[in-house]
């Protein structure tokens, strides 16, 4: 499998099924601002509530009645509890050019949806290739305990530091080398211990020196990051 992060804002996705599995898929798609069409004769009340977002449309039909329309979607989720129905949805949707995910047959999936940990702009995922979503959730819970919100806060600070570095250090390769040197295990250890300011100071030591060297050679201001 080739792991990617896909922007879904404004993209169309179909979810075939109206039960609890379908609800989880729909909820996450709505959170990513996708436009979702739910194909099912009946749906859970929770799914009906999601329709208030304006991004969820309900096509009250069976998958047999809807299959000819799959070409309009980038992603199609076969999320019924019927193996045969999901297999048929995958076959029809794939033939129409969509990427498909089956809730009942991992081997019939073009993609898997990993468990996600988000800390600000930092995103970490756990995937099991469809073998055990429950185990992925267990690993996710363990990671959430270890990788706290401080990582997201530190990443936001690094974004600002990176912009300053662009002003003071010339050359993409030089900046890349500098960041590789600055991102030491010691930095991660300090963050995980909650010693955020000390972690920032350690990064400043690495990049401020390079910024000063660059300023000396170009006649610019010194000491920036």
């Amino acid at each position: 499998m080739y792991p990617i992060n896909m922007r879904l804002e404004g993209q169309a996705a179909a979810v075939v099924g109206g039960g609890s599995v379908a609800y989880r898929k729909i909820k996450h798609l709505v959170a990513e601002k996708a436009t979702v069409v739910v194909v099912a004769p009946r749906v859970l009340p929770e799914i009906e509530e999601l329709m208030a977002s304006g991004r969820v449309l309900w096509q009250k039909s069976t998958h047999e009645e809807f299959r000819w329309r799959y070409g309009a979607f980038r992603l199609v989720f076969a999320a019924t509890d019927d193996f045969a129905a999901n297999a048929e949805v995958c076959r029809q949707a794939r033939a129409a050019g969509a990427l498909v995910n089956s809730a009942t047959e991992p081997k019939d999936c073009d993609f898997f949806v990993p468990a996600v940990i988000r800390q600000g702009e930092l995103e970490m995922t756990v995937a099991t290739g469809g073998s055990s979503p429950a185990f992925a959730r267990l690993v996710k819970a363990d990671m959430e305990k270890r990788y706290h919100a401080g990582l997201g806060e530190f990443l936001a600070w690094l974004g600002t530091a990176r912009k300053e570095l662009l002003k003071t250090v010339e050359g993409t390769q030089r900046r890349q080398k500098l960041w590789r040197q600055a991102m030491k295990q010691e930095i991660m250890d300090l963050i995980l211990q909650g010693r955020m300011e000390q972690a920032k100071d350690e990064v400043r030591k690495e990049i401020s020196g390079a910024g000063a060297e660059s300023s000396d050679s170009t006649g610019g201001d010194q000491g920036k990051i």
Side-chain angles (χ1 to χ4, degrees):
M1 301 297 290
Y2 189 80
I4 62 172
N5 288 348
M6 182 182 294
R7 292 189 184 277
L8 291 181
E9 184 172 0
Q11 299 294 328
V15 178
V16 183
S20 58
V21 174
Y23 169 66
R24 290 196 296 272
K25 307 293 186 187
I26 298 163
K27 181 172 62 174
H28 292 149
L29 289 167
V30 169
E32 295 301 325
K33 300 181 180 180
T35 298
V36 186
V37 173
V38 181
V39 182
R42 296 170 300 280
V43 299
L44 292 175
E46 293 88 340
I47 294 177
E48 290 193 68
E49 291 175 7
L50 288 175
M51 295 177 190
S53 69
R55 293 195 178 91
V56 180
L57 305 175
W58 182 12
Q59 179 71 35
K60 297 183 181 180
S61 65
T62 65
H63 71 279
E64 292 97 337
E65 296 167 333
F66 191 78
R67 62 188 180 187
W68 61 273
R69 306 182 190 181
Y70 289 133
F73 301 96
R74 173 164 289 188
L75 304 179
V76 173
F77 294 82
T80 77
D81 57 3
D82 185 321
F83 280 75
N86 285 345
E88 178 63 13
V89 168
C90 289
R91 187 181 71 82
Q92 292 286 341
R94 187 176 288 116
L99 296 175
V100 302
N101 174 275
S102 170
T104 52
E105 181 49 77
K107 293 181 180 179
D108 207 13
C109 294
D110 294 324
F111 66 94
F112 297 101
V113 181
V116 180
I117 304 100
R118 289 189 177 91
Q119 303 292 9
E121 291 298 315
L122 180 65
E123 184 174 290
M124 297 169 280
T125 61
V126 181
T128 61
S131 296
S132 179
F135 184 65
R137 289 193 290 272
L138 180 64
V139 175
K140 172 189 173 182
D142 182 74
M143 290 177 67
E144 285 177 323
K145 294 176 185 176
R146 175 174 170 79
Y147 299 113
H148 52 72
L151 274 79
E153 296 170 9
F154 191 78
L155 177 60
W157 177 82
L158 283 176
T160 301
R162 181 174 179 271
K163 291 178 182 178
E164 289 296 327
L165 194 68
L166 287 171
K167 301 175 184 177
T168 57
V169 178
E170 296 182 355
T172 299
Q173 290 185 343
R174 188 174 179 213
R175 289 192 296 268
Q176 289 177 343
K177 180 179 179 181
L178 187 61
W179 280 119
R180 284 195 295 269
Q181 292 173 343
M183 294 297 102
K184 300 176 292 187
Q185 181 60 43
E186 178 185 358
I187 301 300
M188 177 63 79
D189 293 340
L190 290 170
I191 297 170
L192 294 180
Q193 293 166 16
R195 298 157 67 183
M196 307 297 290
E197 290 306 315
Q198 189 175 346
K200 293 176 183 178
D201 286 341
E202 291 298 322
V203 174
R204 289 188 184 103
K205 288 178 184 178
E206 293 287 344
I207 61 182
S208 292
E213 291 175 11
S214 177
S215 296
D216 287 342
S217 64
T218 61
D221 293 336
Q222 297 185 24
K224 291 185 179 181
I225 60 173

